[in-house]
Amino acid sequence: MGAQELIATAKALVASDKGLLAMDESNSTCNKRFARLGIPETEEARRSYRELIVTTPGLGEFISGVILYDETIRQSRKDGTPFVKVITDAGIMPGIKVDTGAKDMASHPGEKITEGLDGLRARLAEYSQMGARFAKWRAVITIGDAIPSRGCIEANSHALARYAALSQEAGLVPIVEPEVLMDGEHTLERCCEVTEEVLRTVFNQLHTQRVTLEGMILKPNMVLPGLTCPRQAAVDEVADATVRCLLRAVPAAVPGIAFLSGGQTGELASARLNAMNVRFKSRLPWALAFSFARAIQQPALEIWQGEGAHVLAAQKALYHRARCNSAARLGQYRTEMENNVDSRVI
Ligand code: 13P
């Protein structure tokens, strides 16, 4: 596949008012979320839940791509239709998480390095054959006393760039996700400083590894104070800090930035994305979109609770969050939209 196709796919992923839905939780993460709600931690429960998501009527109005996990890309609807076909028929592009998880980093207490480069070329070829159009790799950066270290930032950025180059070679658009975590007491300013340093390092490595910037999507964290920071920030402050940081560090050749939600509530994630698009619309060289997992899925999961009778209500909640985020892309999200979720009444 040529560069032109990669570029067209990357553009389509962040087209107009659309964004991505991350549903690529590993089995253990998915099980943990199920366990909290008393949902059985079985392959069949995970399959049913993913069927609920991909068969949500109208999802393709707001969602350009869904990110799957290895188990999920091989699964089918109860009637035997492969999920990849269901997704494609809905006008949505299937993508795939290809890292194998963040592990403790040697000699770097409290820090993680994401693994998965060995054998990646062959796995990408298989996923491409299965119909995947893009890939995702997540690096995790923790803020704390004397961390993140240069060693952690450099090793993770190098791995992200190696993954991105291999993805493009396989014809898959790489979603490059360096996540600076929300956990901790750090201030908004510290998050801004760390995020900028991480992004600069990531883009240096992407350049060194000859990644075509026009054929990738960046998936960063929003710039936020730590969860236990005594001074939390207003929506506009978050919007300003985030966009200023990105304007300094992300080349204009990148077609789109699709944020992760990182544990923010669905409402806050929508409000903050909306504020960025309202306050900076005319100054943005790239599309500012979303690639949320929890901030789209959580209400639906809580409604579903593993019960077939709750599927329709859960799908309405999922559709609602996708719609709110699509409105946020256009700067048209209003908190009053949250009052119109008839799906909340089961
Ligand atoms: P959250 O939106 O829940 O942070 O998940 C996004 C994601 O894909 C993490 O890798």
Side-chain angles (χ1 to χ4, degrees):
M1 187 177 304
Q4 288 315 316
E5 273 177 87
L6 277 174
I7 293 168
T9 303
K11 274 194 192 145
L13 284 171
V14 292
S16 56
D17 57 347
K18 292 192 179 180
L20 295 150
L21 166 57
M23 50 180 287
D24 59 329
E25 298 82 5
S26 65
N27 291 350
S28 65
T29 300
C30 188
N31 285 345
K32 266 185 231 149
R33 292 186 187 158
F34 279 13
R36 259 180 238 135
L37 296 166
I39 301 167
E41 299 162 55
T42 61
E43 180 179 352
E44 178 49 25
R46 292 192 297 274
R47 195 207 58 77
S48 299
Y49 177 55
R50 267 65 190 257
E51 174 166 342
L52 177 163
I53 295 177
V54 301
T55 58
T56 295
L59 197 63
E61 292 166 37
F62 313 118
I63 301 296
S64 55
V66 292
I67 315 175
L68 306 170
Y69 181 62
D70 183 73
E71 177 181 83
T72 322
I73 198 170
R74 300 170 195 282
Q75 287 175 324
S76 302
R77 250 165 72 154
K78 195 114 196 134
D79 69 6
T81 317
F83 282 163
V84 171
K85 176 163 170 36
V86 177
I87 292 162
T88 312
D89 286 352
I92 299 173
M93 286 186 267
I96 180 77
K97 168 193 173 77
V98 298
D99 67 73
T100 55
K103 310 285 160 55
D104 289 341
M105 185 165 164
S107 304
H108 289 74
E111 298 195 287
K112 303 271 187 198
I113 176 72
T114 300
E115 296 185 347
L117 287 172
D118 288 352
L120 182 56
R121 177 179 271 135
R123 290 196 294 126
L124 287 165
E126 188 195 6
Y127 291 136
S128 166
Q129 261 243 302
M130 294 170 87
R133 304 280 306 280
F134 65 98
K136 184 196 103 167
W137 178 291
R138 172 176 178 253
V140 180
I141 306 292
T142 309
I143 300 181
D145 271 352
I147 60 172
S149 63
R150 262 327 280 173
C152 174
I153 295 174
E154 281 179 15
N156 274 294
S157 301
H158 178 77
L160 275 167
R162 296 255 331 265
Y163 135 80
L166 281 161
S167 295
Q168 291 190 334
E169 179 192 84
L172 302 181
V173 168
I175 310 280
V176 173
E177 181 181 11
E179 175 173 6
V180 177
L181 294 175
M182 282 167 72
D183 307 288
E185 291 184 354
H186 55 269
T187 60
L188 178 85
E189 291 72 22
R190 174 98 174 104
C191 179
C192 192
E193 213 175 85
V194 170
T195 303
E196 186 177 336
E197 187 187 351
V198 168
L199 292 175
R200 283 186 191 286
T201 312
V202 167
F203 280 100
N204 276 336
Q205 287 288 339
L206 289 167
H207 175 69
T208 306
Q209 297 300 327
R210 302 179 178 166
V211 171
T212 303
L213 297 185
E214 291 84 350
M216 63 159 277
I217 302 290
L218 178 71
K219 174 164 173 168
N221 51 285
M222 293 186 192
V223 172
L224 302 167
L227 279 173
T228 50
C229 175
R231 193 186 168 284
Q232 288 299 313
V235 167
D236 286 351
E237 273 181 282
V238 168
D240 291 0
T242 302
V243 177
R244 288 205 185 110
C245 176
L246 294 170
L247 283 170
R248 285 188 210 120
V250 183
V254 173
I257 295 177
F259 292 103
L260 60 94
S261 59
Q264 304 173 63
T265 63
E267 285 88 345
L268 264 181
S270 298
R272 288 164 170 167
L273 177 62
N274 187 67
M276 290 181 217
N277 278 315
V278 167
R279 294 164 75 81
F280 290 90
K281 195 78 183 169
S282 60
R283 289 186 49 199
L284 300 177
W286 2 253
L288 269 192
F290 55 91
S291 177
F292 300 153
R294 284 163 287 179
I296 294 183
Q297 288 185 44
Q298 195 57 29
L301 180 61
E302 285 170 14
I303 290 169
W304 178 56
Q305 291 189 333
E307 301 288 339
H310 298 175
V311 165
L312 284 182
Q315 288 180 327
K316 279 191 199 164
L318 192 81
Y319 179 86
H320 172 72
R321 286 255 58 82
R323 190 166 70 95
C324 288
N325 288 313
S326 169
R329 276 217 54 185
L330 302 172
Q332 291 171 2
Y333 169 75
R334 305 278 173 276
T335 44
E336 301 80 66
M337 286 175 74
E338 304 294 351
N339 303 330
N340 299 329
V341 200
D342 56 346
S343 52
R344 290 227 165 128
V345 188
I346 304 172

